[in-house]
Structure formats: C-alpha cells, structure tokens
Amino acid sequence: MGASISPRRSTEALIGYTPHQDTNSKLVIVMVGLPATGKSYVAKKLIRYLNWLQHKTQVFNVGDRRREAASNAEAPHSVSTSDATFFDPTSPACVSMRDQLAIGTLNELLEWLLVSGGNIGILDATNSTLSRRQLILNHIRQRCGDSLKVLFLESRCSNQIIREANIRLKLFGPDYAGKDPEASLADFRRRVEHYEMAYQPLGLAEEKQGLSFVQMTDAGRKMNTHLIRGYILSQIVEYLLNFNLARRQIWLSCNGESLDDTEGRIGRYSDLSDRGKKYARDFAAFIEEQRLKWCEEPLLSGHNPEESEL
C-alpha cells in the first residue's frame, strides 16, 4: 500500500505551500546590524514578498520580547530593559540577559517552523557580535541538526542623513513613545554607542564556517554575498537587489464621462462627452500641480514612524 497523506499536507500541496514536515525546505533568516540601519524595514519588506511567493513567513522581533519581559517584571528591578545601560557590552549580566531574550525569541521561531507549519522565520535583532551569532547558530544546530538552512542578513547604512532620520524615528517607537524627546534621543544615542563598541560585521569568520550570508549597504546600493545557493536564497538576493526606497505617488482615476455614459450604455468604446473632456483637462492640470509640489518636498519628508527603520 502507498503511504497515506494527511489532509493538512494534501491541502498545503494543493495551494502551493511547502510541506511543514520537511526541514530541508525551511529557512531561518538572522538579521544583523547596528540599531537604526534598516533591519526591521528590510524584514518587513521581505515578509511581504516571501508570503506573496507562498512561503509562510513570520518575523520574530527580540525587542518585542524584551519589552514583554519588562512588562511582566521578568528582568531584575535594578535593570531597565529600555535604558541604554541595558545594552552595555561590558556588563556580563546585561549581555547574559540579552542572550537569554534572543534564545527565547529563537525558540518561538523554531517552534513556529517545526510545529506550526511555518516555512521561513526571520529573527529580527542586532546580532552584532560573533559570539551572539555563534550562540544562535549552535542553538539551531543542537535542536534541528544541519538540515535547517540559515541565512545571515546584515543591513548597513552609510548615508548619515538617512541614519539620523532613522534614529529620530525611534522617538515614536514603543521604547520612547510619550517620553521626553531630548532625553530619549540622548538615551538612544548612548545605546548606539554601546553597540558600536562591540560591533563585528559579517565576514571572514562566517566564510570559514561555510555560512550563507548577505551584506546589504544602503538598502541595496551595494551587496556582498557568500554561498547563495538554491532557489529561495537566490530569490531573496534578487529581491534585495531591486529594493527601491524612492518616494512614489500612485493616482487611480476612471475616465471622464463618455457619450455612452450619457445614454446609459456600457461595454463599448466611445468618445468623451463635453463633460468628460473637461474632466480630462482638469485632471491633467491637477496631476501637473501635484507633480510640482512633490518635487519641491524635502527628500526625507513623509517617513512613516510605524515603519520602525528605513
């Protein structure tokens, strides 16, 4: 007799999803980078694209778990998990707590991949040191062996104007919302300084281990890749290469009134009525006016605080 196929697996095959029992078809993307360099923005863009490709994808943000732990009083009362001192790389206690939060978030990701039928999990955190990345990789290997694919994705930002805009967007985030803006900005800058002290970009160490990684600078202006093999990794890199951060306006308009419209007819091509021609002229003038206003706006206007980083 042939092997039976469970209803769930059969349904997944019919709609194009990867079977959730096969770890060879699954992927963990580990984000890497300093704060305010675009990691969360890239992760959000990726999740939309990969879900569109029918790969069940979800982002697991370590910052969210840190804030949840703080609200549940899981951290010692002497330590504020939102204060810059929590990110001091010279404090063994703080480093240990941050590692525990990262592993806790990673466990949620792996549970979703291995039990709940997910295909691609994105671990959104700084993961900015060799020791942290090795801790994450070892944990994945201990639980899943070598069959689960891992991709390290580093986001870097060399444009100081955009970097400064990203930093100021943090004032609208959950760590600083409703707090004094000047004090919050100073605190976040100290947090960045702590990370910069210990920051180790992807490179030779990952190459020696034969790990797949992508270094992306300024949202695709410059790309460095290593061991990108297979369909899904190639699709991810191709998508990252086509990032477009340019501001865009999209206008949707129906045509003006036609002669058939005036007689209640539909489904044919007909000339515009006088009112339709007036609409066409007025609409063209309106679009030209909007185009001129658009060109006059500053480059960094219109950033959305809900998109945590650019």
Side-chain angles (χ1 to χ4, degrees):
M1 291 179 63
S4 62
I5 300 176
S6 69
R8 174 170 180 168
R9 183 166 184 173
S10 177
T11 301
E12 287 176 338
L14 285 173
I15 63 177
Y17 285 126
T18 304
H20 75 279
Q21 297 93 337
D22 183 8
T23 56
N24 284 296
S25 65
K26 297 177 184 291
L27 172 68
V28 176
I29 300 176
V30 180
M31 302 301 298
V32 176
L34 292 169
T37 55
K39 298 182 302 301
S40 294
Y41 178 81
V42 171
K44 289 177 182 179
K45 296 282 281 186
L46 264 180
I47 190 175
R48 295 169 189 167
Y49 175 65
L50 292 171
N51 277 311
W52 178 73
L53 288 180
Q54 297 294 296
H55 300 287
K56 295 180 183 177
T57 307
Q58 186 169 322
V59 174
F60 295 81
N61 186 282
V62 176
D64 291 341
R65 186 176 179 86
R66 168 175 57 81
R67 285 181 285 271
E68 181 182 349
S71 65
N72 294 334
E74 294 179 15
H77 293 295
S78 59
V79 178
S80 171
T81 59
S82 61
D83 187 89
T85 55
F86 180 72
F87 304 91
D88 185 353
T90 64
S91 169
C94 290
V95 170
S96 176
M97 281 190 288
R98 294 200 306 275
D99 286 348
Q100 290 175 33
L101 290 170
I103 293 301
T105 309
L106 178 60
N107 280 331
E108 292 178 7
L109 184 157
L110 294 176
E111 188 76 8
W112 180 76
L113 280 184
L114 303 176
V115 178
S116 300
N119 298 136
I120 301 175
I122 303 177
L123 184 64
D124 185 12
T126 55
N127 301 313
S128 55
T129 64
L130 288 173
S131 60
R132 164 64 72 80
R133 297 194 290 269
Q134 195 62 52
L135 176 69
I136 289 171
L137 186 63
N138 290 344
H139 190 79
I140 293 173
R141 295 297 182 236
Q142 288 171 6
R143 182 164 178 180
C144 308
D146 295 329
S147 62
L148 184 58
K149 298 183 180 67
V150 179
L151 172 69
F152 290 93
L153 173 52
E154 181 177 9
S155 180
R156 312 178 77 173
C157 182
S158 64
N159 187 315
Q160 292 305 310
I161 296 177
I162 295 179
R163 182 82 185 279
E164 182 63 24
N166 289 343
I167 289 174
R168 292 184 177 276
L169 280 178
K170 294 296 183 180
L171 301 181
F172 300 94
D175 282 336
Y176 299 111
K179 298 181 180 179
D180 177 67
E182 292 187 7
S184 297
L185 190 60
D187 182 83
F188 187 75
R189 292 191 190 280
R190 287 194 298 272
R191 183 190 300 191
V192 173
E193 290 173 359
H194 285 320
Y195 275 110
E196 289 176 337
M197 288 170 55
Y199 180 49
Q200 296 169 297
L202 297 174
L204 187 59
E206 284 76 17
E207 289 185 20
K208 288 182 177 179
Q209 292 190 70
L211 301 176
S212 300
F213 68 79
V214 176
Q215 283 180 313
M216 181 171 65
T217 302
D218 299 337
R221 180 183 62 81
K222 179 180 178 182
M223 298 280 285
N224 180 34
T225 66
H226 183 256
L227 288 181
I228 301 302
R229 296 172 178 168
Y231 173 76
I232 188 60
L233 295 188
S234 299
Q235 288 293 105
I236 289 171
V237 171
E238 182 178 359
Y239 176 69
L240 296 176
L241 282 168
N242 287 279
F243 256 29
N244 184 354
L245 295 184
R247 299 173 305 134
R248 296 179 291 281
Q249 283 188 334
I250 299 175
W251 295 88
L252 301 178
S253 172
C254 295
N255 61 279
E257 183 184 68
S258 70
L259 294 175
D260 277 359
D261 289 335
T262 63
E263 298 179 6
R265 296 179 179 178
I266 59 174
R268 303 193 312 172
Y269 293 102
S270 68
D271 292 335
L272 294 176
S273 67
D274 289 341
R275 290 178 58 187
K277 292 176 182 178
K278 182 179 184 305
Y279 172 84
R281 291 191 297 269
D282 290 346
F283 186 69
F286 171 78
I287 291 297
E288 178 63 15
E289 180 184 356
Q290 295 302 311
R291 186 187 68 80
L292 295 175
K293 288 181 179 179
W294 179 257
C295 294
E296 292 172 358
E297 291 182 7
L299 176 63
L300 293 176
S301 66
H303 285 172
N304 182 0
E306 294 181 0
E307 296 283 7
S308 60
E309 294 178 352
L310 292 179

